[in-house]
Structure formats: C-alpha cells, structure tokens
Amino acid sequence: MFNVDLTLLSIAIVFPLVFSIRGSFRRREKALEHLSQFRSSLKTVNNYINSDVRLSAEHKSEMKQLLCNISTHTLEHLKNNTTELNELDDTVDYIEQFISNYKESLSAKSKDRVLRYLNDLQEAIDNLHAINTHRTPRSLRAYCLIFIFLFPLIYAPVIINNVGGNTPHFISFAIVMVTQFILVSLYNIQNDLEYPFDNRGLDDINLDGFKMDRKECP
C-alpha cells in the first residue's frame, strides 16, 4: 500500500506558504506606515507654507497645487504598479524649484522646515516604491504553487490507504479536495497581499484615504 509521512508534505508546502503570507502581511503594514509618513509630510509642508506671512496667496495656492500633484501622481504610480520613476521625481523636483524661485519671499525658518520635511517625503516615496516593486521571491512562490498542484497526486493514495479499502472512494477524494481547497485559498490570500495597492483584493489598502487633501486633490 502507498503511504507517505505527511510531515514531509507539511514542511514542503505549509511552512513556506505561511512564511510567504507573513512576509506579505508585514510588507503591507510597512506600506501603511510609509503612507502615513507620506501624507503627514505633504500636510506639514503645506501648513508651513500657509503660515509664512511673507508669501502671497497666489504663491501659497501654487505650492498647494504642486503638493496635490505629488499626492495624485504617487498614488497613481502605486495603483498602476509602475516601475518608471522619472515623472514622479520631476514632480517632487518642482518643490525645490519653487523654493529656489521664491527664496527671497520665504523666511529662512520656513525654508529650512520645508526642506527637512521634503526629505521625509522623498524617503516615504522611495520606501513605497521599494515595497511595490520588491515582493516575495518569485522562486519561493513558484515552488509553493508546484507542490500545491502535486499534492493531490501524493495525498489521495495516502488517504485511501489510511481510511481503508472498504470505505467509499468519494470520501477519500472529498478529504483531498477540501485539503487542496485550503491550500489554494491560502495561496490566493498570499497573492492578494502581494499587491496591496491595486484595489483588487479584499485586504488592499485604500489609497484614496492617503491623499493630501481628500476634498480638493483629484
């Protein structure tokens, strides 16, 4: 009779699968932290600009529009899973150009604070891009998927052997199908967590909640 120690199968499938899910979940939690830093940096820069009495209302409105553009382009960059960063970098560079153009109108205190939080903003954008680009190793995911497909071929004879030859075969195959369904469901959960920004999974991040100005920014 065909009999295999299922401990080996659990090590081959369940352990790497759970490891991948935990890694994806931690990356999602890190993404939430960086998104919060991203939005708070945008809001802080905007507040410092608005509090500078030397700047005109027109210049303050211009800065707010630049910050809204950064907010919109960054979130669209994450939603579309884009790897190209040139357009996003250019959008951020407009802030430095603004400071250079109006350095005579900006107070030294506001300028220093804006530059400091601009550094935090750039760091948050780079971290979000890294999370969106570098995910669970593809080799590990492919390894899990291959063993999930092979699992019924190995598991079905083992179940038939364990339940006995007199037991109806449909019971054995039902057990195998339920187990296979559990493994495939876990794999799909991990796959959804791999892409937390595309709004396709139940646990994806709602990026609209991290816009700089939820009412005015498109």
Side-chain angles (χ1 to χ4, degrees), residues 82-95:
T82 308
T83 57
E84 182 59 49
L85 280 174
N86 290 337
E87 182 179 355
L88 188 57
D89 288 339
D90 291 341
T91 306
V92 178
D93 289 342
Y94 289 145
I95 303 295

Side-chain angles (χ1 to χ4, degrees), residues 75-76 79 199 205-212 214 218:
L75 298 183
E76 287 297 323
K79 287 181 182 179
N199 287 330
I205 297 173
N206 180 17
L207 292 178
D208 291 337
F210 293 95
K211 291 181 179 179
M212 186 196 78
R214 301 183 183 99

Side-chain angles (χ1 to χ4, degrees), residues 126-145:
D126 289 340
N127 284 326
L128 289 169
H129 175 72
I131 289 174
N132 193 41
T133 305
H134 303 284
R135 302 187 178 95
T136 302
R138 294 181 180 179
S139 57
L140 181 60
R141 296 176 61 200
Y143 164 86
C144 290
L145 190 59

Side-chain angles (χ1 to χ4, degrees), residues 32-187:
L32 289 171
E33 293 180 13
H34 296 312
L35 281 169
S36 298
Q37 179 188 359
F38 168 76
R39 184 173 187 273
S40 65
S41 298
L42 288 173
K43 295 289 289 185
T44 304
V45 170
N46 187 57
N47 290 339
Y48 279 135
I49 292 297
N50 285 334
S51 64
D52 195 323
V53 296
R54 298 173 59 180
L55 276 176
S56 65
E58 181 182 355
H59 293 161
K60 292 177 181 178
S61 178
E62 180 182 350
M63 171 59 89
K64 184 171 184 177
Q65 185 58 49
L66 291 175
L67 294 173
C68 276
N69 289 340
I70 293 175
S71 175
T72 301
H73 289 169
T74 301
L75 298 183
E76 287 297 323
H77 172 83
L78 296 175
K79 287 181 182 179
N80 298 329
N81 193 25
T82 308
T83 57
E84 182 59 49
L85 280 174
N86 290 337
E87 182 179 355
L88 188 57
D89 288 339
D90 291 341
T91 306
V92 178
D93 289 342
Y94 289 145
I95 303 295
E96 295 182 359
Q97 184 177 346
F98 176 92
I99 296 174
S100 177
N101 291 340
Y102 304 114
K103 59 183 178 180
E104 300 299 330
S105 301
L106 273 170
S107 66
K109 187 177 182 180
S110 295
K111 180 180 177 181
D112 291 341
R113 288 177 174 176
V114 167
L115 289 175
R116 184 182 69 183
Y117 280 97
L118 189 61
N119 178 68
D120 293 340
L121 175 64
Q122 185 65 62
E123 181 181 357
I125 292 174
D126 289 340
N127 284 326
L128 289 169
H129 175 72
I131 289 174
N132 193 41
T133 305
H134 303 284
R135 302 187 178 95
T136 302
R138 294 181 180 179
S139 57
L140 181 60
R141 296 176 61 200
Y143 164 86
C144 290
L145 190 59
I146 290 172
F147 271 92
I148 287 174
F149 286 135
L150 291 177
F151 181 74
L153 302 178
I154 302 173
Y155 193 41
V158 174
I159 291 298
I160 293 173
N161 178 66
N162 290 338
V163 301
N166 296 327
T167 305
H169 288 335
F170 78 87
I171 295 179
S172 301
F173 286 112
I175 296 174
V176 174
M177 292 300 294
V178 169
T179 307
Q180 183 73 355
F181 174 78
I182 293 172
L183 293 176
V184 172
S185 297
L186 289 174
Y187 180 84

